[in-house]
Amino acid sequence: MSVTAAFFYLFAGITVASAFLVIASRNPVHSVLFLILAFVNAAGLFLLLGAEFLAMILIVVYVGAVAVLFLFVIMLLDIDFASLRQGVLQYLPIGATVGVIFLVELILVVTTYTVDPALLAAEPVVGETPVMTNTAALGSVLYTRYVYFFQLAGLILLVAMIGAIVLTLRERVGVKRQDAVAQGLRTKETSIEVVKVRSREGV
């Protein structure tokens, strides 16, 4: 067994085990941590396939943002998951039915997968080895041909982030908050109070 095959089985085994523990763990925080572990090992599989860009996106987006967001939401909501799990068994028939349907579809896809004989008989095309990596090629296309769409996507994400902050912002009574407008309108007369203090007397 080669080193690549050994790493493939290692990453694949940990990914499958982590995915199972995500749904089997009783503690939701542990489920999120197992989800992060599954994402990291899936990124390792992408690296073995030569798709380093997908691996980087998986780490940055899913591990660095989505999974951590799940963890924060679960910890902030303080949901009583013990009471929610009491009614899990009533959904078991529907979940089992959907799982059986997916299993049958996967079996049909695997058993009916064939390769066109014309592709097997064709001679392989030998070309020059590309100098540019996948990440460099994607970056080159993204920042040249699709630069406006890329900036538009960033603007949409910025608006969504501001909207989420505004929707979840709550004014608390009795908490001192910074008023930038009031600070900008301050003058010497409104900011300074001159008090005449007599000698040997405090303010």
Side-chain angles (χ1 to χ4, degrees):
M1 180 184 295
S2 64
V3 178
T4 305
F7 275 106
F8 171 78
Y9 288 116
L10 176 65
F11 290 146
I14 296 177
T15 303
V16 173
S18 302
F20 175 75
L21 291 175
V22 168
I23 59 175
S25 180
R26 292 181 177 274
N27 192 331
V29 178
H30 294 170
S31 297
V32 175
L33 295 178
F34 283 123
L35 181 64
I36 294 174
L37 183 61
F39 284 153
V40 171
N41 285 275
L45 292 175
F46 280 125
L47 284 178
L48 291 178
L49 294 174
E52 66 274 5
F53 180 77
L54 292 178
M56 181 184 65
I57 290 297
L58 194 63
I59 293 294
V60 173
V61 176
Y62 285 90
V63 177
V66 177
V68 176
L69 180 63
F70 287 167
L71 186 61
F72 274 103
V73 169
I74 289 173
M75 295 177 70
L76 289 176
L77 291 181
D78 194 17
I79 300 175
D80 187 7
F81 287 91
S83 60
L84 295 178
R85 290 180 183 275
Q86 292 178 357
V88 172
L89 293 179
Q90 62 181 346
Y91 300 106
L92 183 60
I94 299 176
T97 304
V98 174
V100 170
I101 292 173
F102 279 133
L103 181 61
V104 171
E105 290 178 349
L106 287 175
I107 292 174
L108 290 176
V109 169
V110 172
T111 54
T112 57
Y113 176 77
T114 57
V115 181
D116 189 1
L119 294 177
L120 297 176
E123 295 181 358
V125 178
V126 179
E128 297 181 355
T129 304
V131 179
M132 187 177 296
T133 61
N134 294 333
T135 305
L138 287 172
S140 176
V141 173
L142 193 63
Y143 289 105
T144 55
R145 182 181 301 177
Y146 301 105
V147 61
Y148 296 112
F149 295 101
F150 182 73
Q151 292 179 349
L152 180 62
L155 180 62
I156 293 174
L157 290 176
L158 177 63
V159 172
M161 184 177 64
I162 295 175
I165 294 174
V166 172
L167 291 175
T168 56
L169 184 63
R170 296 289 183 272
E171 295 288 345
R172 296 182 179 178
V173 179
V175 178
K176 294 183 178 179
R177 304 181 64 84
Q178 184 179 10
D179 190 353
V181 177
Q183 289 182 346
L185 297 176
R186 291 179 64 187
T187 60
K188 183 176 64 175
E189 290 75 15
T190 58
S191 304
I192 301 175
E193 182 181 358
V194 180
V195 179
K196 292 183 179 180
V197 181
R198 295 181 180 179
S199 177
R200 299 181 182 179
E201 292 184 3
V203 177

